[in-house]
Amino acid sequence: MAATPWDLAVVGAGPAGAATALGALRADPGLRVVLLDRADFPRDKACGDGVAPHVLDLLAGVGVTGLVDDRVPVGRLRLGRGGLTAERRTARPSWVVPRRILDARLVDAAVAAGARLLRHRVRGLRQHAGAVVLDDEIPAAVVVGADGAHSAVRRALGRPRGPAALALRGYAPVAPGRRGAQVIEFGTRHQPSYAWSFDCGDGRANVGYGETLREGRPAPNRARLLERLDALLPGAAEGGEDWVGHHLPLSTARWRPPAGRVLLAGDAAGLVNPLSGEGIHYAVATGIAAGRAAAAALREGRPERAGERYARATRRILLPHLRHTALAARLARSPRAVGAALRASAADQRVFDDFVELGLARGRLTPAVVLGLGRALVAPARPSRPTP
């Protein structure tokens, strides 16, 4: 086989792919890295658009700062279900950044770091002794699949899809009662499910509804998703546009990355928080880890060990958290447990903060959460009120 033209080929240039390139090039600026995506940037992507502060922490570690300096921070979060509400200020604000903006900025940062961006839709791969060849024309020493929920790289590896959710997202004028906040209203009929309204800070809100898909049951159509959104957040969809549906591959406690020269990151790896639907933090965290693992394996002349290095790194940063989110997602199927979680969050800032951490980044079911849930389950229900 001819000499390998690329040290690292990254399939998909969303947050996971761009973070992979950034992680690799931060570790070794001399690497030949190519980002392959079927779309030109900027481009839209269906998402809730929430960017947690933890994402910015990770990006700062690979030299990317100032990404959201021109966006409006959102410091309040309102959680509700069936009349119960827990609304508090979060420990640190988040941002609502449309993916058309966020992804283009991340790609620009990756290109500035030395990656090359090519428009190409990858459909398959073949593994040889010395390289991985994409579509019989693009060889690379290491490949990272960051190509989303319907990943061609994952299919080529024969990795099955796990549980999934279906969501519908649009943009609508933000309702007065939901300004300056991220609002989540959990479903009362379809479990687990929730509707959301995230203030973008420009007069619009990212609004939508999603629910876990159940095996053997037909997926709801667009009309049904909009109906359920309006039932949970009346008026949220009024004047809405740019409606897009998308699948979310939900993480489980049994996540195991593949070994060898081909790695998976973000949605392609089945990493979307089953409790909150958040995926950008997982995408950036696993992308950076994949890039660093590839760079280290290439540096020692053993690209076939990239997967082993990646597995060690992600096991340390993800597995305890994934076990806790999987358990929390099972608990969330119980209306009684959801109600207890809301009452405990309304009563105690520590419980609220720990639940937010569990849904956004690397949080766990802490002693404060467990104790708060226990108290709420045995105490009589009381009306909850927003807190300052």
Side-chain angles (χ1 to χ4, degrees):
M1 178 175 292
T4 304
W6 299 107
D7 297 312
L8 172 62
V10 185
V11 183
T20 299
L22 288 163
L25 290 164
R26 185 72 169 182
D28 184 350
L31 289 177
R32 296 163 297 177
V33 178
V34 62
L35 277 169
L36 304 165
D37 201 284
R38 63 183 181 179
D40 289 322
F41 287 78
R43 57 96 177 95
D44 187 25
K45 200 75 172 178
C47 182
D49 294 343
V51 179
H54 314 72
V55 173
L56 305 182
D57 296 341
L58 291 169
L59 291 171
V62 291
V64 180
T65 59
L67 197 70
V68 296
D69 284 355
D70 60 342
R71 306 297 301 182
V72 178
V74 182
R76 294 191 72 84
L77 174 64
R78 183 189 310 164
L79 305 172
R81 181 186 182 277
L84 284 173
T85 302
E87 180 175 351
R88 287 182 176 272
R89 202 162 277 285
T90 53
R92 292 196 291 169
S94 296
W95 285 259
V96 182
V97 187
R99 292 285 297 276
R100 177 181 293 276
I101 297 172
L102 178 70
D103 291 16
R105 291 179 178 180
L106 287 173
V107 165
D108 287 347
V111 170
R116 183 176 176 188
L117 176 66
L118 294 179
R119 184 173 182 180
H120 179 93
R121 180 171 187 170
V122 173
R123 300 181 184 276
L125 62 83
R126 291 185 296 115
Q127 297 195 54
H128 299 272
V132 181
V133 182
L134 301 170
D135 295 337
D136 295 323
E137 60 179 292
I138 304 173
V142 178
V143 167
V144 174
D147 47 340
H150 304 288
S151 170
V153 177
R154 186 190 65 243
R155 289 198 304 271
L157 292 176
R159 309 274 293 193
R161 287 184 62 182
L166 178 66
L168 181 70
R169 178 233 72 189
Y171 293 98
V174 62
R178 300 174 189 134
R179 288 177 183 159
Q182 291 182 299
V183 179
I184 293 175
E185 184 72 20
F186 294 99
T188 56
R189 293 181 54 196
H190 306 275
Q191 299 293 338
S193 65
Y194 72 79
W196 73 84
S197 172
F198 297 164
D199 188 351
C200 296
D202 59 3
R204 299 181 308 154
N206 179 309
V207 298
Y209 169 85
E211 65 180 56
T212 301
L213 296 175
R214 296 298 180 90
E215 190 173 349
R217 295 184 184 180
N221 58 24
R222 172 173 163 167
R224 193 58 59 105
L225 293 171
L226 282 169
E227 176 185 300
R228 293 172 184 174
L229 165 60
D230 190 64
L232 293 175
L233 289 177
E238 188 174 341
E241 56 187 12
D242 296 332
W243 296 102
V244 183
H246 60 293
H247 284 89
L248 294 86
L250 304 176
S251 65
T252 71
R254 297 184 299 276
W255 182 71
R256 296 291 184 274
R261 294 172 177 264
V262 183
L263 288 59
L264 297 171
D267 283 18
L271 288 173
V272 172
N273 191 305
L275 191 65
S276 66
E278 200 283 335
I280 293 177
H281 178 265
Y282 288 162
V284 172
T286 56
I288 291 173
R292 287 172 172 164
L298 289 163
R299 184 167 53 247
E300 70 174 3
R302 300 288 300 277
E304 70 277 5
R305 296 186 63 183
E308 178 186 335
R309 286 180 170 275
Y310 177 59
R312 285 202 303 268
T314 51
R315 186 181 303 120
R316 184 174 62 254
I317 66 175
L318 274 182
L319 281 187
H321 166 74
L322 293 180
R323 295 189 186 106
H324 284 243
T325 55
L327 175 58
R330 287 197 295 272
L331 292 173
R333 296 173 188 170
S334 163
R336 186 163 175 255
V338 174
L342 290 173
R343 292 194 298 274
S345 297
D348 190 327
Q349 181 75 46
R350 292 174 305 168
V351 175
F352 182 89
D353 290 341
D354 288 350
F355 269 123
V356 170
E357 194 74 10
L358 187 67
L360 286 185
R362 294 173 57 182
R364 305 185 187 188
L365 289 167
T366 62
V369 166
V370 174
L371 183 60
L373 280 175
R375 287 173 174 167
L377 284 168
V378 300
R382 297 176 182 176
S384 58
R385 297 177 182 176
T387 55

